[in-house]
Structure formats: C-alpha cells, structure tokens
Amino acid sequence: MEKIVVSIVMGSDSDLPIMEEAAKILEQLGVGYELDIVSAHRTPEKLFDYAKNAHTRGIQVIIAGAGGAAHLPGMIASLSPLPVIGVPVKSSNSIDGWDSVLSILQMPGGVPVATVALNGAKNAGILAAQIVSTASKETQDAIIAYKQTLQEQVLEKSARVRR
Amino acid sequence: MEKIVVSIVMGSDSDLPIMEEAAKILEQLGVGYELDIVSAHRTPEKLFDYAKNAHTRGIQVIIAGAGGAAHLPGMIASLSPLPVIGVPVKSSNSIDGWDSVLSILQMPGGVPVATVALNGAKNAGILAAQIVSTASKETQDAIIAYKQTLQEQVLEKSARVRR
Amino acid sequence: MEKIVVSIVMGSDSDLPIMEEAAKILEQLGVGYELDIVSAHRTPEKLFDYAKNAHTRGIQVIIAGAGGAAHLPGMIASLSPLPVIGVPVKSSNSIDGWDSVLSILQMPGGVPVATVALNGAKNAGILAAQIVSTASKETQDAIIAYKQTLQEQVLEKSARVRR
Amino acid sequence: MEKIVVSIVMGSDSDLPIMEEAAKILEQLGVGYELDIVSAHRTPEKLFDYAKNAHTRGIQVIIAGAGGAAHLPGMIASLSPLPVIGVPVKSSNSIDGWDSVLSILQMPGGVPVATVALNGAKNAGILAAQIVSTASKETQDAIIAYKQTLQEQVLEKSARVRR
Amino acid sequence: MEKIVVSIVMGSDSDLPIMEEAAKILEQLGVGYELDIVSAHRTPEKLFDYAKNAHTRGIQVIIAGAGGAAHLPGMIASLSPLPVIGVPVKSSNSIDGWDSVLSILQMPGGVPVATVALNGAKNAGILAAQIVSTASKETQDAIIAYKQTLQEQVLEKSARVRR
Amino acid sequence: MEKIVVSIVMGSDSDLPIMEEAAKILEQLGVGYELDIVSAHRTPEKLFDYAKNAHTRGIQVIIAGAGGAAHLPGMIASLSPLPVIGVPVKSSNSIDGWDSVLSILQMPGGVPVATVALNGAKNAGILAAQIVSTASKETQDAIIAYKQTLQEQVLEKSARVRR
Amino acid sequence: MEKIVVSIVMGSDSDLPIMEEAAKILEQLGVGYELDIVSAHRTPEKLFDYAKNAHTRGIQVIIAGAGGAAHLPGMIASLSPLPVIGVPVKSSNSIDGWDSVLSILQMPGGVPVATVALNGAKNAGILAAQIVSTASKETQDAIIAYKQTLQEQVLEKSARVRR
Amino acid sequence: MEKIVVSIVMGSDSDLPIMEEAAKILEQLGVGYELDIVSAHRTPEKLFDYAKNAHTRGIQVIIAGAGGAAHLPGMIASLSPLPVIGVPVKSSNSIDGWDSVLSILQMPGGVPVATVALNGAKNAGILAAQIVSTASKETQDAIIAYKQTLQEQVLEKSARVRR
C-alpha cells in the first residue's frame, strides 16, 4: 500500500460525490491519500488541529473542496506550510458557482490557494500527483502515461468521427 | 465613557479608511466600541482567541471588514455566538468587489453573517447600534433621532433644488 | 408561550417555502415570532403601517424576504428603527438571484439591511436569535448549544467518511 | 410657460448632474417639468405623499433616478397610477451599476417601471416627451424634428470622416 | 370593440407564450391592441415599414419583445416617434438573459426604449395602458382599480398566512 | 491604389479612435478600405441603403463597430449577404463593455456576426484581410509575413528579458 | 461532390451534437466541409500539425468549437493564416457559458478569432459560407436565397399569428 | 547560487511588472528561478519547445502569467507533465479581468492549471516554493519563517491601531 501523502478534505458530505473524483484519479496514478470532512464554519477547532499538523504527519499536499462562501481551502492555507489545492464546489443555493470560485481564488498576497475549475476535483487529484511527482520519478512516469492515454482516447474518437 | 459593546476588526490596515466610518457613527450614536486588526489568513491564532472570547468580554456585536477572498467575518461567525456584521471591502486587485461580497454573504446554513453593502462600514455601525438598541431605550432614541436628521437633510436639499 | 420578538414578513406567498426556514429555527431556539405577508409594491400602505409601528409592539428584530427588485427589506429599514434582516429570494424570472441580492444588499449610507445568503432564511432566523441573545442569556445558551450540535453532526459524518 | 406634466425626482442631490439631462431635453422639446429630491430611504413619508398625489396635480409622467439599491422608482410605481420612468444612476460604491440597474428593472408582475440605460436621464426625458406626445400633436412634431436633427448631425460627421 | 392603440410585436413565434401576457392584461384593462411577428434580423424590410408607419395608423404605444442580441425594440425606437416598450425575453441559448436585457436597455442617448423586467410582458402591457391613460380617464380608472385588486389579493393571502 | 474591398463603419465618431486601428492594419496588409459613420439608431435609412448595396459595390467584408446596445453590426448582417465583423466598443456609460459584447455576439440562428474582442478593431482588420486572403495569394502572404513579425517581436523581447 | 474548403473541428466528441449544426447548414448551402476532433489540451501535437497545414490542403476557413477554458480556436488562429471561426460551447461544469465565450472572444491584438454566439454552430457555418462566397458567386447566391427563406418563414408565422 | 527549479514565463512584456512579484518572493525564499517571455499566440513554436522540454531541464514547477483570452498556462499544462501555476493578469481591454481568470481556471478534466488570484504573481511564487518544499526541508523552513513574518507584521499593525 502507498504511503499517504495527499489529504483530501471537504466542508460537507454533500461535496463527496464531487470530491471522490480526486480520490479515484490519485488511486489510478498510484498516489496514497486520505479522505475526511472538515468544516471551516462548523468544526473550526478540528480545522485548526488538522491544518496545523498535516505536514508533521507526512502529508505533502492538501486538497480542500467547499461551496458557497468557501473558506476551508483558504483557512487551511493560512495555517499550513503545505501547498493547498482548492476545489470550488457548485452547491445548491450557490449563485451559479461564482461564490465558491471567488472565495477560493481571490486569496490575499502571502497565502496562495491553487484553485482548479468549478467542480474540478479530478484535476485537483492530478495536480496533487504532479506536485508529488516533482520528487518522484515513478509518479511523473504515471502522469506522462496518463497524458498519453488522454491523447489516445481523443485520437480514437477522432478516427470514429472522421469515418 | 461608554462601555465597549461593539468590536470592530479588519483584515488589514489598508481597510482602515473604510472601516473608520463604522467607528465614527458609533461614536455619534453614543455606543462604545474598540478597533483592531485581525487577519484570518495571517494571524489565524489571534483570530481564534479573539472570536472564542469576545462574548465573554462583554462584547455584544462584532463588525468585521475584509476584501478579496474575505474569510474574516465568516470565521468569526463560526467561532462566536455573537451576531457578526460583515463589511465587504473593495480592495485593490479585487474583481470589482464581487469577491468580497460573495465570500462574506454566501455563508452556509447555520452560520450567518449580517452583510452590508460594498464598503458600507457606516451602515455596519448603524446596524450594530440597532442591535444594541434592542435592549437600550437610549440607543433606540439616538437611532430615531439620527433617522430624523437624515430626513431633514434631504428635505433641506429638496428645498434648495426646487428653488 | 414565548413573547413575540421577531417579525417575519415576505413579499409574496410564493416566498413562504423559503421563509418558513426562519420560523422553524426560531422555534427550535425558543424565540417567539410572527409571520405575515407584506408587499412593498402591492400593499404599500400596509408596509407603512407595519414598519412604522413594529417597534412599538415589542418587536425587536424584523426579517424580510423578497425576490427580484426586492424593495421590502430596504423600505422597512427606512421606516423602522429596528434592525432589519433581508433574505434575497431566488424567484422565478429572477436573473440568477443577482437582482434580489443586489437590491437588498446595496443600501445607501444611513439605512442598513443585514443581508444573508440567497434563500438563506434559516440563517436569517439564527441571526435574529443572535440579536435577541445580546440581551438574553437563555437565547445565547441556545445558540451555543446549537453550534455544538452543528459540530457534532459534522464530526459524526467525518467518522463515517473515514471508515 | 408650459404646464408642468412631467415630474423629475431623484434620491439624492448627488444624482443631480446626471438627472439634469432629463430636464434639459424636456425644455428643448417644449414639455413642462418640475424637479425635486425625494429619498425612498431617508424621506419615506414625503415619498408617500408625493407618489399618492402626483396624478391629482396634473402630472402625467414621473421620472425617478436613483443609485445602488434603488427603490425610489419602484416605490413610486407602487403608489401612483402614472407611468414611471426609472433612471439607474451609477453612484460611487455601486457595483459597476449592476445594483441600480437590477433593482429598478426587475419589478414584479403588476408594477412596471420603464427603465432606461445606466445614467440615461436624457433618454428618460425623451421617453417622457414621447408619452406626453401620445396626446399632443405638438410634442410629437417636436420629437420627429428632434430625431431629424440627430440624423443630420450623424450625416454631417459622416461627411467629415469620409473626407 | 376598442380602438387599437397598442401594437405588440415579437421577433419570433417562440416568444409568443411570454408576449401573450401583454395582450391578456391589455384586454383586462380595456385597451385595444394588435399582435404580430416582426423580426429585425429576418424581416428587416417589414421592420422598416412597420416602424415608420405605426404612428400614422393610430398606434400610440409599441411593445416589442425579443431575446438574445435583441435589436427589435431599439430599431423600432430608431424609426418611430412613438414610445417603445422593450421586453427582454430569456430565449434558449441566451446567456442567462443578460444578452436580451443589455441589448434592449443600454440604448444610446437620443433613442430610448422603456425596458421592463426579463420576460416581463405583463408589466409591458400595464405600462402601455398607463401611457394610454395619460389621456384617458377611463383607462386610468381601470389601472387604479387593477392596483386595488393586487392589494386585496395580497391582503387575503396575508390573512390566510396569519391564521 | 488598392481596390476598396473592406468597408469600415461605426455608430458614432466617438468610436473613431478605436476603429482607426482596423484601417491602419488593413493599410499595412495592403488591403483597400473605406471608412464611414452609419448609426443604426440615428440614421436608420442610411443603414438600410448602405447594407443593402455594399456587396453590389464590390465590398467583400464589412467591419462594424458600436458600443452599448450595439445594433449596427447585427442590422447590417441582417440586410447584407457579406460577412460582417463586429467590434464591441467600450463606450462611456457602457456597463463595463458587457452590453456591447453581448448585443453583438449573441445573434440569433441565421444571421451571424463575426465578433472580435472588446475594442478589438485591429483584430477586425486582420480578420477582414484573412477573409480577403481566401481568394488572394498576395494577401495571404502578407498575413503570413505579419505573423512572422509578431513572432520576431516577442522573441526579441524574450531575449531582452532573459538578459 | 463539392471540394472541401471548410474544416470543422471540436475539442471533444461531446461537442458533436452542437457542432453538427455547422455541417448541416454548409451542406444546405452547397459548401464542402470536413469534420474532426482536435483537442488543444489532449492532442497538442495533432493541433500543431492540423493548424500549420490546413491552408496548404486547400482549406479556406476553419470552424473550431470548444467549451470551458476553450483554447482550440485561439491556438489554431495562432498557427494558421486562415480565418478561424470560434464557437463557444456551453459544456457541463461551464460557468453558464461565460468561460467558453470569454476565452474564445478576448484574443490579443494580432490573432483574431471570429466568435459567434454561445452554441452558435449554425451561424458559424453560415459565416464560413459567407467567407467562401466572397470569391464564389454561386455561394453568394445560395446565401441570398437562404436569407430569403428566413424572411418567408417569419412572414408566414406572422400571418398565422395575426389570424 | 541556487539551482533553477522554477520557470516563470509570461505572454507579453507588458505582464512583467506584475510577474516580477513571483521572482522577488522566490528570491526571498531562496528558490532558484528563470524568467522568460513565451506567447501562446505569437510564438506557438517556442511554446511547444519550451513546454515539452522544461521537465528534462530540471525545472520542477512552471509559473505562467497571461491576460485576456489567456491560453499560455493551459497550453503549457497540455504539453508538460509538471505542475503549472497560472496567473491571470488584468491587461488593458480585459473585461475587468474575468476573461483572464476564466480562461486559465476552467481547464477541462485531465489538464489542471493551479490558478491564483487576479494579478496574484506573488502568491504564484509562494505556491511554487511550497511545491518545491514538499521535497526540501530547507524551503519548508523558509516558508514557515515567512508565514511567521506575515503574522508579526499584522500584530505590529494591530498594536499601532489599538493605541
């Protein structure tokens, strides 16, 4: 079994169907991960403990997904030295996703969050693997192979469309 | 001197020119206040201490102003039982203020922030006084008198324009 | 039975399914409320009577919900010294809710409306209770207990997800 | 002197530089008007008196300009049987004018406001004259002549550019 | 039968379900109307004939509905001296209705279009009747009675909700 | 002198500083053009004559620039069989350019306008030349050479930055 | 069979239902075309080959459709001297289509993309035919006839509505 | 001197004043970098060479800044296995920065770009250092120290404001 180096957290279990995409692609790329629920607004103490200590537990990258006024990724970034990837989730009552996107993306100078597309948990997983791969030839090879697969799938579809 | 019942905090000293409007109107309405800088992203520990303890120090209402991905009001609301008023500040590099507005307004169910207009610190001060006035006849009278003044100013301008 | 201290009004009975959330949470927190329909655009006289007199009837906080060009919360705030909480409702033909949000939030200096999230009636109820709690130890305890429950629910879900 | 048939009101004297454009074009088109300040939020009683009685004073059309959460045109439309023209004013602290536009335009079924472009007071004046002209051959002739002038001005500029 | 004084046109028969609301309320208010399809983009010649001659046929007000890059109301306003009411229609492939709203509302100085809310054909009908009523006591009475009905319906619903 | 094959028109002479960029690049690419002012809203008759006849005068492409509720490009496209390039101009009182962009871009099925970026008159000129170049080897060579120049300029700047 | 002069490409086979509209109208207008899948992000090498060589294969116009952060049309425009028509596709997880529209439309000076409406593949086809028609009397006649049909369809619907 | 592990590229030298912030903070954190101009639209061949080979030259992270229809970060991400950080630059003629933000953020599944705030080059530099730090205790210590400094600066300002 792989060592856990990526930690995936989300603000609510309603984000799980979206955030599982990050887990799936990490599994496919052979990168160890954990999955948990941490709510910035409902469990602020847990947020603090979690974010202060993740890097001491061997975690290398954090993926945090949240919707609406999404404060989870930014607050983790405030407390942890690790790179934090934010996934804006388009929750019900969101204003078309703009709230999630802007409250994750527009972080002040000094505290970055690596934001991916709305509901882009899969890309968050790939990005986490790319970060891990900066010190792992094995993971970089997995990413290069994955990109190769993407290409082949499109070429196949292209062949089908041209016929 | 009035007892301090309103606490005004902001994420950065660049928000001070906006947020002072809250202080001024509270002074005018005879409501005691304090003023401080607490950054959700740069001083998360201070944020925690501040928000957990404000209500035990006699504070009745918190006014929190912040710009961009503004997490300060929401994180205080997460940690304090007090009513929290959020002031979206239009900072430089803000996307026309939309980021501040949405990341303060769109709080999830369970954790409200009473949001006022973009740069609306003056209204935040009045709202805080109105909250205080629910248990203070004196403050309510001050608010009624203030509204009377607003009306008279407009009527005066009306008279001038009609001439 | 509790004394009625919160008044919930809405512009149309089509807002009722949203606005009932405010009533439910106030009930749960032990705060007395009333519920009525007052349309700024269709019953302006009733609006005037209602808003001018609410504070003389013992009402401490007003919650007003409306959609589209939502003038109800702002007009009540113009006429009453009480704190007014505005709930932007995403009505049919609304432009994604932006109209409701902006016409409630962007009040001019002097006349604040405490705006909550789009369709955020539940949070309006909690905010009203928080305002009441500034002079009621009992209500503050209810709010602290409620926040505790929120936390426990998330921790439970967290435990389930981690398994 | 012409009979006063158009009433121009605005929420604040800061709207005057914009709203004067309506007065100027009405003068040019020979339509009598009055000019006043009526604030929905600061002088609600005056608003009521004004709007309830305008049609009994011989006013045929009302032009109302306001910025931010602009409630003046809609509240007048709620109280008066007259056609109401709304001018969204781009005030300071407005969110790019979107707030003024949406809170004037998006009126609910039953209570129309004839909205013109952001800061479009000149067009409000022309529209008022067009309304008056439905029962005044003289005013219709003035409008037809005005449109002729517009055309000639463009043709002149066209000639200059082509040279 | 009433004299036809209001002309309702739309860019496409797919706008008919929306635009019929204008016809219905005019009927209810006793104002004579006609209904037709005129496409700015597909029948430009018909547009020209129609718009140049409407006022010579006794038409007093034009209601024009269109979606997307909606040029019909503005082009009619360019060609006719009559007041033109524009109804932004939220067509399929519209970008949330913003395109229709902005391309009708933001007319240049000199050529106003009286814009109503997105899909607000009913309000367009009422506004047309209000314009007609500036020279018709009978129609003004119908409008006053209509407003009375609106009020009574809300008061009834209010009574039901309060029970 | 080159044959005039591109016609550049704009709604107002205030658009000239922007629209001249189209003329400049056409000159540079050796494509003949004319320049005129045609206002959809102020000179509708001229618009009709112009658009109906352009293709009979040897014009191959039309570039039309306009701001606000920009109807000029779409109305020309409605009347002419030629390809029409639309340039959204960010005029004063425009709502950040969104109005110009959407009222040019969102044309209904059957009547395309080739829209370029906000204030993108230079690109409109290049696009016109590209269209001309589909039947002119000479113009295509000019375009290929122009692209080469763009590349060299960037490479030069790159060299300077790297030093 | 017609010579292939228009090349239609799209970023993903999920864009096919939209992009087929371009093929259909080209067929109807008698203009030869090809159809393929080329992904800027998944098959960048194919994109390079395709775009560098299209004009040497006799292609005169390229239609490229893509959604989200849509880079396909712009990258082809960067590599090819041909006119490139971009179709913003409203894909799932798009933010209401704004991402596709802006990332195709807002090209920098020097590299135009002729953008059509959101999902406007049909108009892309017509525009391509119009470009071809600048050197083909036959295609121009087909376009004039097509516009005639559009007009007749509307007039027929008009007749039906008026009855 | 530090080994070069971060590569900063931008689409135009007009982006340099913004993008230099990334260089400055990397210098401060002791992380080696290079700086270059690579335009997706003007030097596509250079883009290809650069992106295909960066990881073979020892580069671990790429920072790419661009404005308008910003394709540079996404195209690099398409061609390189490395983590790519995108900086949306608010260029002139940008539509308030929305175009840059959306065309960098909204990448399709399979090809992530780690997006930071509008003009957020400083945060891009910190994020790059955080990525490097996942395999460098020294860099992680520098980041922890940097965060400590941020905190101290705010506490100092707080002390000054409270006095």
Side-chain angles (χ1 to χ4, degrees):
Chain A
M1 215 191 123
E2 298 98 2
K3 223 185 84 192
I4 290 174
V5 289
V6 178
S7 178
I8 306 171
V9 291
M10 65 208 80
S12 155
D13 62 342
S14 64
D15 302 331
L16 198 55
I18 295 291
M19 295 305 294
E20 277 176 340
E21 295 294 317
K24 273 191 214 159
I25 192 78
L26 283 169
E27 207 147 304
Q28 190 180 330
L29 293 168
V31 177
Y33 66 90
E34 60 175 26
L35 200 80
D36 201 356
I37 296 179
V38 179
S39 167
H41 298 125
R42 281 171 270 216
T43 60
E45 272 93 357
K46 183 175 176 184
L47 161 72
F48 248 65
D49 284 348
Y50 168 81
K52 295 287 279 183
N53 299 317
H55 70 291
T56 65
R57 288 191 294 118
I59 298 299
Q60 290 177 22
V61 193
I62 293 172
I63 297 174
H71 299 178
L72 183 66
M75 286 311 297
I76 295 175
S78 146
L79 289 155
S80 169
L82 296 177
V84 176
I85 301 171
V87 182
V89 176
K90 188 170 176 177
S91 53
S92 65
N93 281 342
S94 163
I95 307 190
D96 294 316
W98 292 112
D99 39 16
S100 324
V101 164
L102 291 176
S103 55
I104 293 179
L105 182 74
Q106 286 291 98
M107 291 292 290
V111 190
V113 168
T115 312
V116 293
L118 190 61
N119 285 350
K122 186 185 185 177
N123 275 0
I126 297 170
L127 183 57
Q130 286 176 321
I131 292 172
V132 170
S133 85
T134 59
S136 156
K137 185 74 180 60
E138 199 187 328
T139 306
Q140 196 175 68
D141 288 347
I143 287 161
I144 291 172
Y146 172 71
K147 285 177 107 72
Q148 193 58 32
T149 319
L150 286 181
Q151 180 164 318
E152 277 154 24
Q153 285 167 349
V154 174
L155 294 178
E156 222 169 279
K157 283 172 184 170
S158 155
R160 231 175 303 145
V161 162
R162 302 182 71 160
R163 269 196 304 265
Chain B
M1 216 189 123
E2 297 99 3
K3 221 184 86 192
I4 290 176
V5 289
V6 178
S7 177
I8 306 171
V9 290
M10 66 208 79
S12 155
D13 64 341
S14 65
D15 302 330
L16 198 55
I18 295 291
M19 295 305 295
E20 277 177 339
E21 295 294 317
K24 272 190 216 159
I25 192 78
L26 283 168
E27 207 147 304
Q28 190 180 331
L29 293 169
V31 177
Y33 67 89
E34 60 176 26
L35 200 79
D36 201 356
I37 295 179
V38 179
S39 167
H41 298 125
R42 281 171 271 218
T43 60
E45 272 93 359
K46 183 175 177 186
L47 160 72
F48 249 67
D49 284 348
Y50 168 81
K52 297 287 279 184
N53 299 318
H55 69 291
T56 65
R57 290 191 293 119
I59 298 297
Q60 291 178 22
V61 193
I62 292 171
I63 296 175
H71 299 176
L72 183 65
M75 286 310 298
I76 295 175
S78 148
L79 289 155
S80 168
L82 295 177
V84 176
I85 300 171
V87 183
V89 176
K90 187 170 178 178
S91 52
S92 64
N93 282 341
S94 162
I95 308 189
D96 294 316
W98 292 112
D99 38 16
S100 325
V101 164
L102 291 175
S103 55
I104 292 179
L105 183 74
Q106 286 292 96
M107 291 291 290
V111 191
V113 168
T115 312
V116 293
L118 190 61
N119 286 349
K122 185 185 185 176
N123 275 359
I126 297 170
L127 183 56
Q130 286 176 320
I131 292 172
V132 170
S133 84
T134 59
S136 156
K137 184 75 180 56
E138 198 187 328
T139 306
Q140 197 177 66
D141 288 347
I143 287 162
I144 291 171
Y146 172 71
K147 284 176 108 72
Q148 192 60 31
T149 319
L150 286 181
Q151 181 164 316
E152 277 153 23
Q153 285 167 349
V154 174
L155 294 178
E156 221 168 280
K157 283 170 185 172
S158 155
R160 230 175 304 145
V161 162
R162 302 183 72 161
R163 271 197 305 263
Chain C
M1 214 190 126
E2 298 98 4
K3 221 184 85 192
I4 289 175
V5 288
V6 178
S7 178
I8 307 171
V9 290
M10 66 207 79
S12 154
D13 63 343
S14 65
D15 302 331
L16 197 56
I18 295 293
M19 295 305 294
E20 277 176 340
E21 295 294 317
K24 272 192 216 158
I25 192 78
L26 283 169
E27 206 147 305
Q28 190 180 330
L29 293 169
V31 177
Y33 66 90
E34 61 175 26
L35 200 79
D36 201 355
I37 296 179
V38 179
S39 167
H41 298 124
R42 280 170 271 215
T43 59
E45 272 93 357
K46 183 175 176 185
L47 161 72
F48 248 66
D49 284 347
Y50 168 81
K52 296 287 279 183
N53 299 317
H55 69 291
T56 65
R57 291 191 292 118
I59 298 298
Q60 291 177 23
V61 193
I62 293 172
I63 297 175
H71 299 177
L72 183 65
M75 286 310 298
I76 295 175
S78 147
L79 289 155
S80 168
L82 296 177
V84 176
I85 301 171
V87 182
V89 176
K90 188 171 177 176
S91 52
S92 65
N93 282 342
S94 163
I95 308 190
D96 294 316
W98 292 112
D99 39 16
S100 324
V101 164
L102 291 176
S103 55
I104 292 179
L105 183 74
Q106 285 293 97
M107 291 293 290
V111 191
V113 168
T115 312
V116 294
L118 190 60
N119 286 349
K122 187 185 183 177
N123 275 359
I126 297 171
L127 183 56
Q130 287 175 321
I131 292 172
V132 170
S133 84
T134 59
S136 156
K137 184 74 180 57
E138 199 186 328
T139 306
Q140 196 175 69
D141 288 346
I143 286 161
I144 291 172
Y146 173 71
K147 284 176 107 72
Q148 192 59 32
T149 319
L150 286 181
Q151 181 164 316
E152 277 153 25
Q153 285 167 349
V154 173
L155 294 178
E156 222 169 280
K157 283 171 185 172
S158 156
R160 231 175 304 145
V161 162
R162 302 183 71 160
R163 270 196 304 266
Chain D
M1 213 191 125
E2 298 99 2
K3 219 183 86 191
I4 290 175
V5 289
V6 177
S7 177
I8 306 172
V9 291
M10 67 207 79
S12 154
D13 63 343
S14 64
D15 302 331
L16 198 56
I18 296 292
M19 295 306 294
E20 276 176 339
E21 295 295 316
K24 271 190 216 158
I25 192 78
L26 283 169
E27 207 148 304
Q28 190 181 330
L29 293 169
V31 178
Y33 65 91
E34 61 175 27
L35 199 80
D36 200 356
I37 296 179
V38 179
S39 167
H41 298 124
R42 280 170 272 216
T43 59
E45 272 93 358
K46 183 174 176 187
L47 161 72
F48 250 65
D49 283 348
Y50 168 81
K52 296 287 280 184
N53 298 318
H55 68 292
T56 65
R57 291 191 291 119
I59 299 298
Q60 290 177 22
V61 192
I62 292 171
I63 296 175
H71 298 177
L72 183 65
M75 286 310 298
I76 295 175
S78 147
L79 289 155
S80 168
L82 296 177
V84 176
I85 301 172
V87 182
V89 176
K90 188 170 176 176
S91 52
S92 66
N93 282 341
S94 163
I95 308 189
D96 294 316
W98 292 113
D99 38 17
S100 325
V101 164
L102 291 175
S103 56
I104 292 179
L105 183 73
Q106 286 292 98
M107 291 292 289
V111 191
V113 168
T115 311
V116 294
L118 191 60
N119 286 349
K122 186 186 185 177
N123 274 359
I126 298 171
L127 183 56
Q130 286 176 319
I131 292 173
V132 170
S133 83
T134 59
S136 155
K137 185 75 180 59
E138 198 187 328
T139 306
Q140 196 175 68
D141 288 346
I143 286 162
I144 290 172
Y146 172 72
K147 284 176 108 72
Q148 192 60 32
T149 320
L150 286 182
Q151 181 164 315
E152 278 153 24
Q153 285 167 351
V154 174
L155 294 178
E156 223 169 279
K157 283 171 185 172
S158 155
R160 229 174 305 146
V161 162
R162 302 182 70 160
R163 272 196 304 264
Chain E
M1 215 190 123
E2 297 98 3
K3 220 184 84 190
I4 290 176
V5 289
V6 178
S7 177
I8 307 171
V9 290
M10 67 208 78
S12 154
D13 62 342
S14 65
D15 302 330
L16 197 56
I18 295 293
M19 295 306 294
E20 277 177 340
E21 295 294 318
K24 271 191 216 158
I25 192 78
L26 283 169
E27 207 147 303
Q28 190 180 330
L29 293 169
V31 178
Y33 66 91
E34 61 176 25
L35 200 80
D36 200 356
I37 295 179
V38 179
S39 167
H41 298 124
R42 281 171 270 216
T43 60
E45 272 93 359
K46 183 175 175 184
L47 161 72
F48 248 65
D49 284 347
Y50 167 81
K52 297 286 280 184
N53 298 317
H55 69 292
T56 64
R57 290 192 292 119
I59 298 298
Q60 291 177 22
V61 193
I62 293 172
I63 297 175
H71 299 177
L72 183 65
M75 287 310 298
I76 295 175
S78 148
L79 289 155
S80 169
L82 295 177
V84 176
I85 301 171
V87 183
V89 176
K90 188 170 177 177
S91 53
S92 65
N93 281 342
S94 162
I95 307 189
D96 294 315
W98 292 112
D99 37 17
S100 324
V101 164
L102 291 175
S103 55
I104 293 179
L105 183 74
Q106 286 293 97
M107 291 292 290
V111 191
V113 168
T115 312
V116 294
L118 190 60
N119 286 349
K122 186 186 184 175
N123 275 358
I126 298 170
L127 183 56
Q130 287 176 320
I131 292 173
V132 169
S133 83
T134 58
S136 156
K137 184 75 178 61
E138 197 187 329
T139 306
Q140 197 177 67
D141 288 347
I143 286 162
I144 290 172
Y146 172 72
K147 284 177 107 72
Q148 191 60 30
T149 319
L150 286 181
Q151 181 164 316
E152 277 154 23
Q153 284 167 350
V154 173
L155 294 178
E156 222 169 279
K157 282 171 186 172
S158 156
R160 230 176 304 144
V161 162
R162 302 183 71 160
R163 271 196 304 265
Chain F
M1 214 189 124
E2 297 99 2
K3 222 184 82 191
I4 290 175
V5 289
V6 177
S7 178
I8 307 171
V9 290
M10 65 209 79
S12 154
D13 62 343
S14 65
D15 302 331
L16 198 56
I18 294 292
M19 295 305 294
E20 277 177 339
E21 294 295 316
K24 272 191 215 159
I25 192 78
L26 284 169
E27 207 147 303
Q28 190 181 331
L29 294 169
V31 177
Y33 66 90
E34 61 176 27
L35 199 80
D36 201 355
I37 296 179
V38 179
S39 167
H41 298 125
R42 280 170 272 216
T43 60
E45 272 93 358
K46 183 175 176 185
L47 161 71
F48 249 65
D49 283 348
Y50 168 81
K52 297 286 280 183
N53 298 318
H55 70 292
T56 65
R57 290 191 292 119
I59 298 298
Q60 291 177 22
V61 193
I62 293 171
I63 296 175
H71 299 177
L72 184 65
M75 286 311 297
I76 296 175
S78 146
L79 289 155
S80 168
L82 296 177
V84 176
I85 301 172
V87 182
V89 175
K90 187 171 176 177
S91 52
S92 65
N93 281 344
S94 163
I95 308 190
D96 295 315
W98 292 112
D99 39 17
S100 324
V101 164
L102 291 175
S103 55
I104 293 179
L105 183 74
Q106 285 292 98
M107 291 292 289
V111 190
V113 168
T115 312
V116 295
L118 190 60
N119 285 350
K122 186 185 184 177
N123 275 359
I126 298 171
L127 184 56
Q130 287 176 320
I131 291 172
V132 170
S133 84
T134 59
S136 156
K137 184 74 180 61
E138 200 186 326
T139 306
Q140 196 175 68
D141 288 347
I143 286 162
I144 290 172
Y146 172 71
K147 284 176 107 73
Q148 193 58 33
T149 318
L150 286 182
Q151 181 165 315
E152 277 153 25
Q153 285 167 350
V154 173
L155 294 178
E156 222 169 280
K157 283 172 184 171
S158 155
R160 229 175 305 144
V161 162
R162 301 182 71 161
R163 271 197 303 265
Chain G
M1 214 191 122
E2 297 97 3
K3 221 185 82 191
I4 290 176
V5 289
V6 178
S7 178
I8 306 172
V9 291
M10 66 208 79
S12 154
D13 63 343
S14 65
D15 303 330
L16 198 54
I18 295 291
M19 296 305 295
E20 276 177 340
E21 294 294 317
K24 272 191 216 160
I25 191 78
L26 284 169
E27 207 146 303
Q28 190 180 331
L29 294 168
V31 177
Y33 67 90
E34 60 175 27
L35 200 80
D36 201 356
I37 295 178
V38 178
S39 167
H41 298 124
R42 282 170 269 215
T43 61
E45 272 92 359
K46 183 175 176 186
L47 160 72
F48 248 66
D49 284 348
Y50 168 81
K52 296 287 279 183
N53 299 317
H55 69 291
T56 65
R57 290 190 294 119
I59 298 297
Q60 291 177 22
V61 193
I62 293 171
I63 297 175
H71 299 177
L72 183 66
M75 287 311 298
I76 295 175
S78 148
L79 289 155
S80 168
L82 295 177
V84 176
I85 301 171
V87 183
V89 176
K90 187 169 176 177
S91 53
S92 64
N93 282 342
S94 163
I95 308 189
D96 294 315
W98 292 113
D99 38 16
S100 324
V101 164
L102 291 175
S103 56
I104 292 179
L105 183 74
Q106 285 293 97
M107 291 292 289
V111 191
V113 168
T115 312
V116 293
L118 189 62
N119 285 350
K122 186 186 186 175
N123 275 359
I126 297 170
L127 183 57
Q130 286 176 320
I131 292 172
V132 170
S133 83
T134 59
S136 157
K137 183 74 179 60
E138 197 188 329
T139 305
Q140 196 175 68
D141 288 348
I143 286 161
I144 290 172
Y146 172 72
K147 284 177 106 72
Q148 191 60 32
T149 320
L150 286 182
Q151 181 165 316
E152 277 154 24
Q153 284 167 350
V154 173
L155 294 178
E156 222 169 279
K157 283 172 185 170
S158 155
R160 230 175 304 144
V161 162
R162 301 182 72 161
R163 270 196 303 265
Chain H
M1 213 189 126
E2 298 98 2
K3 222 184 83 192
I4 290 175
V5 289
V6 177
S7 178
I8 306 172
V9 291
M10 66 208 79
S12 155
D13 63 342
S14 64
D15 302 330
L16 198 55
I18 295 291
M19 295 305 294
E20 277 176 340
E21 295 294 318
K24 272 191 214 157
I25 192 77
L26 283 169
E27 207 147 302
Q28 191 181 329
L29 293 169
V31 178
Y33 66 91
E34 60 175 26
L35 200 80
D36 201 355
I37 296 179
V38 178
S39 167
H41 298 124
R42 281 171 270 215
T43 61
E45 272 93 359
K46 183 175 176 184
L47 161 72
F48 250 65
D49 283 348
Y50 168 81
K52 296 287 280 183
N53 298 317
H55 70 291
T56 66
R57 289 191 293 120
I59 299 298
Q60 291 177 22
V61 193
I62 293 171
I63 296 174
H71 299 177
L72 184 65
M75 286 311 296
I76 295 174
S78 148
L79 289 155
S80 169
L82 296 177
V84 177
I85 300 171
V87 182
V89 176
K90 187 170 177 177
S91 53
S92 66
N93 281 343
S94 163
I95 308 190
D96 295 315
W98 292 112
D99 38 17
S100 324
V101 164
L102 291 175
S103 56
I104 293 178
L105 182 75
Q106 285 292 97
M107 290 292 290
V111 191
V113 168
T115 312
V116 293
L118 190 61
N119 285 350
K122 186 185 185 177
N123 275 359
I126 298 170
L127 182 57
Q130 287 176 320
I131 292 172
V132 170
S133 84
T134 59
S136 157
K137 184 75 179 60
E138 200 186 327
T139 306
Q140 196 175 69
D141 288 346
I143 286 161
I144 290 171
Y146 172 71
K147 285 176 107 71
Q148 192 59 32
T149 320
L150 286 182
Q151 180 164 318
E152 277 154 23
Q153 285 167 349
V154 174
L155 293 178
E156 222 168 280
K157 283 171 185 171
S158 155
R160 231 175 302 144
V161 162
R162 301 182 71 161
R163 270 196 304 264

